[in-house]
Amino acid sequence: MLTAHPSLLRELVERCETLRRRLASGGSAETRSQLEDASYTLCVLTGTRQLDTALSAARRQLADELRREQPLRH
């Protein structure tokens, strides 16, 4: 399975979360459009259809990548 580069996933997760907060505090139509674009991209990269699911999948992928980079030592 292909996966997006962790830095791209991290950037999109942060962007979506920031845009959601802006929209919740009275964001503009431009903010809504930016969130829709970022959400669509994140959904495509994670193979999902809804933003909440995409965010969860992206966070899971990022956590998996971190574990691969820093394996547990006993």
Side-chain angles (χ1 to χ4, degrees):
M1 176 173 102
L2 294 176
T3 58
H5 193 275
S7 64
L8 177 59
L9 282 178
R10 198 172 298 110
E11 178 184 329
L12 281 166
V13 167
E14 290 171 6
R15 182 165 177 75
C16 286
E17 289 173 342
T18 298
L19 290 167
R20 277 177 126 180
R21 284 191 299 272
R22 284 186 196 161
L23 197 58
S25 64
S28 65
E30 178 65 23
T31 301
R32 180 176 300 283
S33 176
Q34 291 173 350
L35 178 58
E36 287 172 2
D37 289 346
S39 297
Y40 175 81
T41 302
L42 190 59
C43 284
V44 168
L45 292 175
T46 58
T48 61
R49 293 178 181 241
Q50 295 181 349
L51 179 56
D52 288 334
T53 307
L55 287 167
S56 293
R59 288 184 188 113
R60 192 169 39 255
Q61 287 179 26
L62 290 168
D64 290 347
E65 181 63 28
L66 184 60
R67 278 192 291 276
R68 278 192 293 275
E69 289 175 2
Q70 300 173 353
L72 293 175
R73 293 187 181 119
H74 295 279

